Amino acid sequence: MTVLTYSSDLILTAKQTRLAAMKLAVLSTAAKNEAIEAIAVALESAQDEILRANITDCEAAESEGIAKPLYKRLQLDEHKLRDNIVGVRDIGKLPDPVGSIQIHRKLDNGLILKRVSCPLGVLGIIFEARPEAAIQIATLAIKSGNGVILKGGKEAIRSCEAIVKAIKRGLSQTTVDPDTVELLTTREETLELLKLDKYVDLIIPRGSNSFVKFVQQNTSIPVLGHADGICHLYIDKSADIEKAVNIAVDSKTHYPAACNAIETLLIHQDIASTFLPRIAEALQKLNVELRGDEVTQSILSNVVPATEADWETEYSDLILSIKVVDSLPEAITHINEYGSKHTDAIVTEDIKAAEDFSSLVDAAGVYHNCSTRFADGFRYGFGAEVGISTQQIPPRGPVGLEGLVTYKYKMIGNGHVASSYTGENAKPFLHKDLL
C-alpha cells in the first residue's frame, strides 16, 4: 500500500474540498439555507462539548502565558456562542449573492451577454486564537457557495475541532457535502496551504500585524486582509463634549482587543483644557493607561509621555495615546500618516468639518459622531464577516457575502461570428441594456 506523504495528504484534502465546492456552487438557495439551519442546530446540540473544549484551551493557554488580548479573543462562553448561532441563522436570512445578474445586454439580435455573480471557489482562512471565526466563516462560505479550509491558532485547536465536528455533523444531514468545510491543525499545514495555488483561490488571514505580513510574503495566492488596526478618534473644536466622552470610552474600552478599538485620541487645542480632564477621569476609572504628547502632559497629571512609537502602535489593550492638534487638517494629516486605513472617526457638530474629514481621511471606514466599534460585518447587517480588508480595491472594510463572490461573463448566440462586425460591411453592435 502506498503511504501518502504529508504534502500529498493536504493536496488530497484540498482536492476534496474543491470537488465539494463545485457541487455546492450549483445548489439552490433553499438547499444552502437548509444546510445553514442544520449547522445552527448542530452547534446548539454540541454546546457543552464546544465550551468544555474552550475551557481546556483557555487553561492551557493561560499556563503558557498567553497575552491578555489574545486570551480575551480565545474565550468562548455560553453567551458568545449563542450570539454566534444567532449570526448563523441571520446569514441564512440574507439574499443569496450567487446568480445575481449584474449586466444583461443585447449586443445584437440573438447575441446576448450577461455578467453573473458566482462563487470564488475555495477559501483558505488562517486565524489566530478566535474560535468563533470558524463558525462565522464556514457559514458565510456555505451561503456564498464556496468551500473553505480553516486553520485556527494553536491556542484554539480543541475549540475549533469541536466546532468543525459539529458543523460537519450538521452538513451530513443535508445535500451539502461535509468536505466543503475542512480544518487544519498544525503550523506545518499552514505553510503547505500557502503553496496550494492550484486548489485555493483566496487566502484570508486574521491575526497580528506580523502574522498577516508573513502570510502575504509567503504565498502567490491572492490575500485579503489587514495588517494593523490603528484606529483614531478626533474630537473637533465643535464637538458636543458629553457625546465625545461617551464615544471615546466606548471606542477604547468596549472591547480593547478588537481591531476596531481606537489606539489614538486626537483633540483640537481649542477644547483640550475642557475635554481632557473629562475624558481622562472617565478612562482612568476603567483602568486605561494614558500616554500623551507635551500639551496633554501640561493639562493632565498621571500621563505617560508619548513617544513616536506610540502613534504607530496597535495596543489591543487598555492603553491610549493622546495628541492635541491645532486644526482639522493637522488631525487628518496625522491619521493618514500613522493610521492603518481601518476605521477612523470624528466627533463634531460642524457638518462641513465632518464632510471634509470623511472625504480626506484614507480609511475603509470613516465615521461621524459614533464609535469605531461599529466596524463589524454583523453590525453592518452582513450576518458575520470573514475579515476586514484595508486594501484600496474592493472588497474593503468588513467583508461579508458580497466579498466572497466574483463574476463571469456568459454569452449566448446563434451562430454569430466576430468577423461579421469588422471590415468594410461591418454590422453595428446594438449594445442595448435589458435590465
Side-chain angles (χ1 to χ4, degrees), residues 309-370:
D310 285 305
W311 311 130
E312 53 192 15
T313 298
E314 181 180 12
Y315 303 114
S316 298
D317 204 350
L318 290 173
I319 304 171
L320 181 68
S321 58
I322 303 175
K323 182 177 183 180
V324 176
V325 296
D326 62 16
S327 64
L328 171 64
E330 185 184 350
I332 293 170
T333 298
H334 180 97
I335 292 170
N336 286 342
E337 180 176 356
Y338 294 102
S340 59
K341 302 185 179 184
H342 190 298
T343 305
D344 301 291
I346 181 174
V347 180
T348 185
E349 299 304 304
D350 182 340
I351 298 301
K352 180 62 166 58
E355 290 175 348
D356 288 347
F357 184 91
S358 297
S359 298
L360 296 175
V361 167
D362 183 10
V366 188
Y367 294 176
H368 175 207
N369 284 352
C370 57

Short mmCIF file of all heavy atoms in Angstrom, two decimals, residues 309-370:
data_model
loop_
_atom_site.label_atom_id
_atom_site.label_comp_id
_atom_site.label_asym_id
_atom_site.label_seq_id
_atom_site.Cartn_x
_atom_site.Cartn_y
_atom_site.Cartn_z
N ALA A 309 6.83 56.07 18.70
CA ALA A 309 6.36 54.69 18.52
C ALA A 309 4.90 54.52 18.91
O ALA A 309 4.19 53.67 18.36
CB ALA A 309 7.23 53.73 19.33
N ASP A 310 4.42 55.33 19.86
CA ASP A 310 3.03 55.20 20.30
C ASP A 310 2.05 55.51 19.17
O ASP A 310 0.97 54.92 19.10
CB ASP A 310 2.76 56.12 21.49
CG ASP A 310 3.36 55.58 22.78
OD1 ASP A 310 3.06 54.44 23.14
OD2 ASP A 310 4.14 56.31 23.42
N TRP A 311 2.39 56.44 18.31
CA TRP A 311 1.46 56.82 17.23
C TRP A 311 1.29 55.70 16.21
O TRP A 311 0.32 55.69 15.45
CB TRP A 311 1.94 58.08 16.52
CG TRP A 311 2.30 59.22 17.42
CD1 TRP A 311 3.45 59.95 17.38
CD2 TRP A 311 1.53 59.77 18.50
NE1 TRP A 311 3.45 60.92 18.36
CE2 TRP A 311 2.27 60.83 19.06
CE3 TRP A 311 0.28 59.47 19.05
CZ2 TRP A 311 1.82 61.59 20.14
CZ3 TRP A 311 -0.18 60.23 20.13
CH2 TRP A 311 0.58 61.27 20.66
N GLU A 312 2.21 54.76 16.17
CA GLU A 312 2.13 53.68 15.19
C GLU A 312 2.00 52.31 15.84
O GLU A 312 2.31 51.29 15.24
CB GLU A 312 3.37 53.71 14.28
CG GLU A 312 4.69 53.72 15.00
CD GLU A 312 5.86 54.06 14.10
OE1 GLU A 312 5.62 54.55 12.97
OE2 GLU A 312 7.01 53.82 14.51
N THR A 313 1.46 52.29 17.06
CA THR A 313 1.31 51.03 17.80
C THR A 313 -0.15 50.63 17.94
O THR A 313 -0.99 51.45 18.33
CB THR A 313 1.95 51.14 19.20
OG1 THR A 313 3.34 51.40 19.06
CG2 THR A 313 1.73 49.86 19.99
N GLU A 314 -0.45 49.37 17.64
CA GLU A 314 -1.76 48.80 17.93
C GLU A 314 -1.65 48.10 19.28
O GLU A 314 -1.09 47.01 19.39
CB GLU A 314 -2.19 47.81 16.85
CG GLU A 314 -3.56 47.20 17.10
CD GLU A 314 -4.00 46.21 16.03
OE1 GLU A 314 -3.15 45.83 15.19
OE2 GLU A 314 -5.17 45.81 16.03
N TYR A 315 -2.17 48.72 20.33
CA TYR A 315 -2.02 48.18 21.67
C TYR A 315 -2.88 46.94 21.89
O TYR A 315 -2.47 46.01 22.59
CB TYR A 315 -2.41 49.23 22.71
CG TYR A 315 -1.64 50.53 22.63
CD1 TYR A 315 -2.29 51.71 22.28
CD2 TYR A 315 -0.29 50.58 22.90
CE1 TYR A 315 -1.60 52.91 22.22
CE2 TYR A 315 0.42 51.77 22.84
CZ TYR A 315 -0.24 52.93 22.49
OH TYR A 315 0.44 54.11 22.42
N SER A 316 -4.10 46.95 21.36
CA SER A 316 -5.07 45.87 21.62
C SER A 316 -5.23 45.66 23.13
O SER A 316 -5.43 44.54 23.59
CB SER A 316 -4.62 44.57 20.94
OG SER A 316 -4.57 44.73 19.54
N ASP A 317 -5.17 46.74 23.88
CA ASP A 317 -5.21 46.66 25.34
C ASP A 317 -5.72 48.00 25.87
O ASP A 317 -5.98 48.93 25.11
CB ASP A 317 -3.81 46.36 25.87
CG ASP A 317 -3.83 45.71 27.25
OD1 ASP A 317 -4.91 45.67 27.87
OD2 ASP A 317 -2.76 45.27 27.70
N LEU A 318 -5.83 48.10 27.17
CA LEU A 318 -6.33 49.33 27.80
C LEU A 318 -5.22 50.38 27.89
O LEU A 318 -4.81 50.81 28.98
CB LEU A 318 -6.90 49.00 29.18
CG LEU A 318 -8.21 48.21 29.18
CD1 LEU A 318 -8.60 47.80 30.59
CD2 LEU A 318 -9.34 49.02 28.53
N ILE A 319 -4.74 50.78 26.75
CA ILE A 319 -3.72 51.83 26.62
C ILE A 319 -4.18 52.75 25.50
O ILE A 319 -4.65 52.29 24.45
CB ILE A 319 -2.33 51.24 26.27
CG1 ILE A 319 -1.90 50.20 27.31
CG2 ILE A 319 -1.29 52.35 26.15
CD1 ILE A 319 -0.65 49.43 26.92
N LEU A 320 -4.05 54.06 25.70
CA LEU A 320 -4.50 55.02 24.69
C LEU A 320 -3.49 56.15 24.58
O LEU A 320 -3.10 56.75 25.58
CB LEU A 320 -5.87 55.59 25.07
CG LEU A 320 -6.49 56.59 24.11
CD1 LEU A 320 -6.86 55.91 22.79
CD2 LEU A 320 -7.72 57.25 24.72
N SER A 321 -3.06 56.45 23.37
CA SER A 321 -2.18 57.60 23.15
C SER A 321 -3.04 58.81 22.81
O SER A 321 -4.07 58.69 22.14
CB SER A 321 -1.18 57.31 22.04
OG SER A 321 -1.84 56.98 20.83
N ILE A 322 -2.63 59.99 23.28
CA ILE A 322 -3.41 61.22 23.11
C ILE A 322 -2.51 62.32 22.54
O ILE A 322 -1.39 62.52 23.01
CB ILE A 322 -4.01 61.70 24.45
CG1 ILE A 322 -4.89 60.61 25.07
CG2 ILE A 322 -4.81 62.98 24.25
CD1 ILE A 322 -5.42 60.97 26.45
N LYS A 323 -3.06 63.03 21.55
CA LYS A 323 -2.32 64.14 20.96
C LYS A 323 -3.26 65.32 20.77
O LYS A 323 -4.39 65.16 20.30
CB LYS A 323 -1.72 63.74 19.62
CG LYS A 323 -0.90 64.83 18.95
CD LYS A 323 -0.27 64.34 17.66
CE LYS A 323 0.60 65.43 17.05
NZ LYS A 323 1.23 64.98 15.78
N VAL A 324 -2.80 66.51 21.12
CA VAL A 324 -3.56 67.74 20.88
C VAL A 324 -3.09 68.33 19.55
O VAL A 324 -1.88 68.48 19.32
CB VAL A 324 -3.35 68.75 22.02
CG1 VAL A 324 -4.07 70.06 21.71
CG2 VAL A 324 -3.86 68.18 23.34
N VAL A 325 -4.04 68.64 18.68
CA VAL A 325 -3.72 69.19 17.36
C VAL A 325 -4.31 70.59 17.24
O VAL A 325 -5.27 70.95 17.93
CB VAL A 325 -4.27 68.29 16.23
CG1 VAL A 325 -3.60 66.92 16.26
CG2 VAL A 325 -5.78 68.12 16.34
N ASP A 326 -3.72 71.40 16.33
CA ASP A 326 -4.18 72.79 16.24
C ASP A 326 -5.29 73.00 15.22
O ASP A 326 -5.85 74.09 15.14
CB ASP A 326 -3.00 73.72 15.93
CG ASP A 326 -2.32 73.40 14.59
OD1 ASP A 326 -2.93 72.69 13.76
OD2 ASP A 326 -1.18 73.86 14.38
N SER A 327 -5.63 71.94 14.45
CA SER A 327 -6.64 72.13 13.41
C SER A 327 -7.14 70.79 12.89
O SER A 327 -6.51 69.74 13.12
CB SER A 327 -6.05 72.93 12.24
OG SER A 327 -5.00 72.19 11.63
N LEU A 328 -8.23 70.83 12.16
CA LEU A 328 -8.74 69.64 11.47
C LEU A 328 -7.73 69.13 10.45
O LEU A 328 -7.48 67.91 10.40
CB LEU A 328 -10.08 69.97 10.80
CG LEU A 328 -10.67 68.91 9.86
CD1 LEU A 328 -11.00 67.63 10.62
CD2 LEU A 328 -11.92 69.45 9.17
N PRO A 329 -7.12 69.99 9.62
CA PRO A 329 -6.11 69.48 8.68
C PRO A 329 -4.97 68.74 9.37
O PRO A 329 -4.47 67.74 8.84
CB PRO A 329 -5.62 70.75 7.97
CG PRO A 329 -6.79 71.68 8.01
CD PRO A 329 -7.42 71.43 9.37
N GLU A 330 -4.52 69.23 10.54
CA GLU A 330 -3.44 68.52 11.24
C GLU A 330 -3.91 67.14 11.70
O GLU A 330 -3.15 66.16 11.64
CB GLU A 330 -2.94 69.32 12.44
CG GLU A 330 -1.73 68.64 13.10
CD GLU A 330 -1.25 69.33 14.36
OE1 GLU A 330 -1.71 70.45 14.65
OE2 GLU A 330 -0.39 68.75 15.07
N ALA A 331 -5.16 67.04 12.15
CA ALA A 331 -5.70 65.74 12.57
C ALA A 331 -5.74 64.78 11.38
O ALA A 331 -5.34 63.61 11.50
CB ALA A 331 -7.10 65.92 13.15
N ILE A 332 -6.20 65.26 10.24
CA ILE A 332 -6.29 64.42 9.04
C ILE A 332 -4.89 63.98 8.61
O ILE A 332 -4.67 62.81 8.26
CB ILE A 332 -7.00 65.18 7.92
CG1 ILE A 332 -8.47 65.40 8.29
CG2 ILE A 332 -6.89 64.42 6.59
CD1 ILE A 332 -9.21 66.34 7.35
N THR A 333 -3.93 64.91 8.64
CA THR A 333 -2.55 64.57 8.26
C THR A 333 -1.99 63.49 9.18
O THR A 333 -1.34 62.54 8.72
CB THR A 333 -1.66 65.82 8.32
OG1 THR A 333 -2.15 66.78 7.37
CG2 THR A 333 -0.21 65.48 7.99
N HIS A 334 -2.22 63.63 10.49
CA HIS A 334 -1.73 62.62 11.45
C HIS A 334 -2.35 61.26 11.16
O HIS A 334 -1.64 60.23 11.12
CB HIS A 334 -2.06 63.05 12.88
CG HIS A 334 -1.58 62.08 13.91
ND1 HIS A 334 -0.40 62.22 14.60
CD2 HIS A 334 -2.13 60.91 14.36
CE1 HIS A 334 -0.24 61.20 15.42
NE2 HIS A 334 -1.28 60.39 15.30
N ILE A 335 -3.64 61.23 10.95
CA ILE A 335 -4.32 59.95 10.70
C ILE A 335 -3.80 59.30 9.43
O ILE A 335 -3.52 58.09 9.40
CB ILE A 335 -5.85 60.16 10.63
CG1 ILE A 335 -6.40 60.56 11.99
CG2 ILE A 335 -6.54 58.90 10.12
CD1 ILE A 335 -7.85 61.02 11.96
N ASN A 336 -3.65 60.07 8.37
CA ASN A 336 -3.19 59.49 7.10
C ASN A 336 -1.74 59.05 7.16
O ASN A 336 -1.32 58.18 6.39
CB ASN A 336 -3.41 60.48 5.96
CG ASN A 336 -4.87 60.61 5.57
OD1 ASN A 336 -5.68 59.74 5.89
ND2 ASN A 336 -5.22 61.69 4.89
N GLU A 337 -0.96 59.64 8.07
CA GLU A 337 0.43 59.23 8.22
C GLU A 337 0.58 57.98 9.07
O GLU A 337 1.35 57.07 8.74
CB GLU A 337 1.27 60.36 8.83
CG GLU A 337 2.74 59.98 9.01
CD GLU A 337 3.60 61.13 9.53
OE1 GLU A 337 3.05 62.25 9.68
OE2 GLU A 337 4.78 60.89 9.80
N TYR A 338 -0.18 57.90 10.17
CA TYR A 338 0.01 56.82 11.12
C TYR A 338 -1.10 55.77 11.11
O TYR A 338 -0.92 54.69 11.67
CB TYR A 338 0.12 57.38 12.54
CG TYR A 338 1.34 58.24 12.77
CD1 TYR A 338 1.26 59.62 12.77
CD2 TYR A 338 2.59 57.66 12.96
CE1 TYR A 338 2.37 60.42 12.98
CE2 TYR A 338 3.72 58.44 13.18
CZ TYR A 338 3.61 59.82 13.17
OH TYR A 338 4.72 60.59 13.38
N GLY A 339 -2.22 56.06 10.51
CA GLY A 339 -3.33 55.13 10.53
C GLY A 339 -3.10 53.91 9.65
O GLY A 339 -2.20 53.89 8.81
N SER A 340 -3.94 52.92 9.85
CA SER A 340 -3.82 51.66 9.09
C SER A 340 -4.93 51.51 8.06
O SER A 340 -5.11 50.43 7.50
CB SER A 340 -3.85 50.47 10.05
OG SER A 340 -5.07 50.47 10.78
N LYS A 341 -5.69 52.57 7.81
CA LYS A 341 -6.77 52.57 6.82
C LYS A 341 -7.91 51.64 7.22
O LYS A 341 -8.63 51.13 6.38
CB LYS A 341 -6.25 52.21 5.43
CG LYS A 341 -5.16 53.12 4.92
CD LYS A 341 -4.77 52.78 3.48
CE LYS A 341 -3.70 53.73 2.97
NZ LYS A 341 -3.37 53.48 1.55
N HIS A 342 -8.05 51.43 8.52
CA HIS A 342 -9.11 50.56 9.04
C HIS A 342 -10.38 51.38 9.28
O HIS A 342 -11.28 51.40 8.44
CB HIS A 342 -8.62 49.89 10.32
CG HIS A 342 -9.50 48.81 10.84
ND1 HIS A 342 -10.81 49.01 11.23
CD2 HIS A 342 -9.26 47.48 11.05
CE1 HIS A 342 -11.33 47.87 11.64
NE2 HIS A 342 -10.42 46.93 11.55
N THR A 343 -10.44 52.08 10.41
CA THR A 343 -11.60 52.89 10.76
C THR A 343 -11.16 54.09 11.59
O THR A 343 -10.41 53.93 12.56
CB THR A 343 -12.63 52.06 11.57
OG1 THR A 343 -12.97 50.88 10.85
CG2 THR A 343 -13.89 52.87 11.83
N ASP A 344 -11.62 55.28 11.19
CA ASP A 344 -11.31 56.50 11.92
C ASP A 344 -12.58 57.33 12.04
O ASP A 344 -13.43 57.30 11.14
CB ASP A 344 -10.22 57.29 11.20
CG ASP A 344 -8.94 56.48 11.05
OD1 ASP A 344 -8.29 56.21 12.08
OD2 ASP A 344 -8.61 56.10 9.91
N ALA A 345 -12.70 58.09 13.15
CA ALA A 345 -13.95 58.80 13.41
C ALA A 345 -13.69 60.22 13.88
O ALA A 345 -12.63 60.53 14.44
CB ALA A 345 -14.77 58.05 14.46
N ILE A 346 -14.68 61.07 13.65
CA ILE A 346 -14.67 62.44 14.11
C ILE A 346 -15.92 62.69 14.95
O ILE A 346 -17.00 62.18 14.63
CB ILE A 346 -14.62 63.44 12.92
CG1 ILE A 346 -14.58 64.90 13.41
CG2 ILE A 346 -15.81 63.23 11.98
CD1 ILE A 346 -14.38 65.92 12.29
N VAL A 347 -15.77 63.47 16.04
CA VAL A 347 -16.91 63.93 16.82
C VAL A 347 -16.99 65.44 16.62
O VAL A 347 -16.05 66.17 16.97
CB VAL A 347 -16.78 63.59 18.31
CG1 VAL A 347 -18.00 64.10 19.08
CG2 VAL A 347 -16.63 62.08 18.50
N THR A 348 -18.06 65.91 16.03
CA THR A 348 -18.23 67.33 15.78
C THR A 348 -19.69 67.63 15.46
O THR A 348 -20.41 66.76 14.96
CB THR A 348 -17.35 67.80 14.60
OG1 THR A 348 -17.45 69.23 14.46
CG2 THR A 348 -17.76 67.14 13.29
N GLU A 349 -20.10 68.86 15.74
CA GLU A 349 -21.42 69.33 15.35
C GLU A 349 -21.33 70.20 14.09
O GLU A 349 -22.33 70.72 13.61
CB GLU A 349 -22.06 70.13 16.49
CG GLU A 349 -22.25 69.32 17.77
CD GLU A 349 -23.05 68.05 17.57
OE1 GLU A 349 -24.18 68.13 17.07
OE2 GLU A 349 -22.52 66.95 17.89
N ASP A 350 -20.11 70.33 13.56
CA ASP A 350 -19.86 71.11 12.34
C ASP A 350 -19.93 70.17 11.14
O ASP A 350 -19.02 69.36 10.90
CB ASP A 350 -18.48 71.76 12.44
CG ASP A 350 -18.14 72.65 11.25
OD1 ASP A 350 -18.76 72.48 10.18
OD2 ASP A 350 -17.23 73.49 11.39
N ILE A 351 -21.02 70.27 10.38
CA ILE A 351 -21.24 69.36 9.26
C ILE A 351 -20.13 69.49 8.21
O ILE A 351 -19.67 68.49 7.65
CB ILE A 351 -22.61 69.62 8.61
CG1 ILE A 351 -23.73 69.36 9.63
CG2 ILE A 351 -22.81 68.72 7.39
CD1 ILE A 351 -23.74 67.96 10.19
N LYS A 352 -19.67 70.71 7.94
CA LYS A 352 -18.60 70.90 6.96
C LYS A 352 -17.32 70.21 7.40
O LYS A 352 -16.63 69.56 6.61
CB LYS A 352 -18.34 72.39 6.76
CG LYS A 352 -17.22 72.72 5.75
CD LYS A 352 -17.56 72.21 4.35
CE LYS A 352 -16.65 72.82 3.29
NZ LYS A 352 -15.21 72.57 3.51
N ALA A 353 -16.99 70.30 8.69
CA ALA A 353 -15.80 69.63 9.22
C ALA A 353 -15.93 68.12 9.06
O ALA A 353 -14.98 67.42 8.69
CB ALA A 353 -15.58 70.00 10.68
N ALA A 354 -17.13 67.59 9.35
CA ALA A 354 -17.37 66.15 9.23
C ALA A 354 -17.23 65.70 7.78
O ALA A 354 -16.66 64.64 7.50
CB ALA A 354 -18.75 65.81 9.76
N GLU A 355 -17.75 66.50 6.86
CA GLU A 355 -17.67 66.15 5.44
C GLU A 355 -16.22 66.17 4.95
O GLU A 355 -15.80 65.29 4.20
CB GLU A 355 -18.53 67.11 4.62
CG GLU A 355 -20.03 66.91 4.83
CD GLU A 355 -20.87 67.95 4.10
OE1 GLU A 355 -20.29 68.96 3.64
OE2 GLU A 355 -22.10 67.76 4.01
N ASP A 356 -15.46 67.18 5.38
CA ASP A 356 -14.04 67.24 4.99
C ASP A 356 -13.28 66.05 5.55
O ASP A 356 -12.44 65.45 4.86
CB ASP A 356 -13.42 68.55 5.49
CG ASP A 356 -13.90 69.77 4.72
OD1 ASP A 356 -14.52 69.57 3.64
OD2 ASP A 356 -13.68 70.90 5.18
N PHE A 357 -13.54 65.72 6.80
CA PHE A 357 -12.88 64.58 7.44
C PHE A 357 -13.20 63.29 6.66
O PHE A 357 -12.31 62.51 6.32
CB PHE A 357 -13.37 64.46 8.88
CG PHE A 357 -12.72 63.37 9.69
CD1 PHE A 357 -11.59 63.62 10.43
CD2 PHE A 357 -13.27 62.08 9.73
CE1 PHE A 357 -10.99 62.61 11.20
CE2 PHE A 357 -12.68 61.07 10.48
CZ PHE A 357 -11.54 61.34 11.22
N SER A 358 -14.48 63.09 6.35
CA SER A 358 -14.91 61.88 5.65
C SER A 358 -14.31 61.77 4.26
O SER A 358 -14.01 60.68 3.78
CB SER A 358 -16.44 61.83 5.57
OG SER A 358 -17.01 61.77 6.85
N SER A 359 -14.13 62.91 3.61
CA SER A 359 -13.59 62.92 2.25
C SER A 359 -12.08 62.73 2.21
O SER A 359 -11.55 62.10 1.30
CB SER A 359 -13.95 64.23 1.54
OG SER A 359 -15.34 64.39 1.42
N LEU A 360 -11.38 63.28 3.20
CA LEU A 360 -9.92 63.34 3.14
C LEU A 360 -9.19 62.27 3.94
O LEU A 360 -8.02 61.99 3.67
CB LEU A 360 -9.46 64.73 3.61
CG LEU A 360 -9.94 65.90 2.73
CD1 LEU A 360 -9.55 67.23 3.34
CD2 LEU A 360 -9.38 65.76 1.31
N VAL A 361 -9.85 61.66 4.92
CA VAL A 361 -9.21 60.57 5.66
C VAL A 361 -9.25 59.30 4.80
O VAL A 361 -10.30 58.91 4.30
CB VAL A 361 -9.91 60.32 7.01
CG1 VAL A 361 -9.45 59.00 7.62
CG2 VAL A 361 -9.61 61.46 7.96
N ASP A 362 -8.10 58.69 4.62
CA ASP A 362 -7.99 57.50 3.78
C ASP A 362 -8.16 56.25 4.64
O ASP A 362 -7.20 55.75 5.24
CB ASP A 362 -6.62 57.49 3.09
CG ASP A 362 -6.46 56.31 2.13
OD1 ASP A 362 -7.46 55.62 1.85
OD2 ASP A 362 -5.33 56.09 1.66
N ALA A 363 -9.39 55.77 4.74
CA ALA A 363 -9.68 54.58 5.55
C ALA A 363 -10.87 53.85 4.98
O ALA A 363 -11.70 54.44 4.27
CB ALA A 363 -9.95 54.98 7.00
N ALA A 364 -10.96 52.57 5.28
CA ALA A 364 -12.10 51.77 4.80
C ALA A 364 -13.39 52.20 5.47
O ALA A 364 -14.47 52.10 4.89
CB ALA A 364 -11.83 50.29 5.08
N GLY A 365 -13.30 52.69 6.72
CA GLY A 365 -14.47 53.18 7.43
C GLY A 365 -14.19 54.57 7.99
O GLY A 365 -13.16 54.77 8.65
N VAL A 366 -15.05 55.54 7.70
CA VAL A 366 -14.89 56.89 8.22
C VAL A 366 -16.22 57.28 8.86
O VAL A 366 -17.25 57.34 8.19
CB VAL A 366 -14.52 57.90 7.11
CG1 VAL A 366 -14.18 59.24 7.73
CG2 VAL A 366 -13.35 57.39 6.29
N TYR A 367 -16.22 57.54 10.18
CA TYR A 367 -17.45 57.72 10.94
C TYR A 367 -17.58 59.14 11.48
O TYR A 367 -16.57 59.80 11.78
CB TYR A 367 -17.47 56.76 12.13
CG TYR A 367 -17.54 55.28 11.79
CD1 TYR A 367 -17.47 54.34 12.81
CD2 TYR A 367 -17.66 54.83 10.49
CE1 TYR A 367 -17.53 52.98 12.55
CE2 TYR A 367 -17.72 53.47 10.21
CZ TYR A 367 -17.65 52.56 11.23
OH TYR A 367 -17.72 51.21 10.96
N HIS A 368 -18.81 59.55 11.68
CA HIS A 368 -19.12 60.86 12.26
C HIS A 368 -20.04 60.66 13.45
O HIS A 368 -21.13 60.10 13.33
CB HIS A 368 -19.79 61.75 11.20
CG HIS A 368 -20.26 63.07 11.71
ND1 HIS A 368 -21.32 63.76 11.13
CD2 HIS A 368 -19.84 63.85 12.76
CE1 HIS A 368 -21.51 64.89 11.78
NE2 HIS A 368 -20.63 64.97 12.78
N ASN A 369 -19.59 61.09 14.60
CA ASN A 369 -20.38 61.06 15.84
C ASN A 369 -20.86 59.66 16.23
O ASN A 369 -21.98 59.47 16.69
CB ASN A 369 -21.59 62.00 15.73
CG ASN A 369 -21.20 63.47 15.88
OD1 ASN A 369 -20.05 63.78 16.21
ND2 ASN A 369 -22.14 64.37 15.63
N CYS A 370 -19.99 58.68 16.06
CA CYS A 370 -20.30 57.33 16.54
C CYS A 370 -19.01 56.55 16.76
O CYS A 370 -17.95 56.91 16.26
CB CYS A 370 -21.23 56.58 15.58
SG CYS A 370 -20.63 56.42 13.90
#
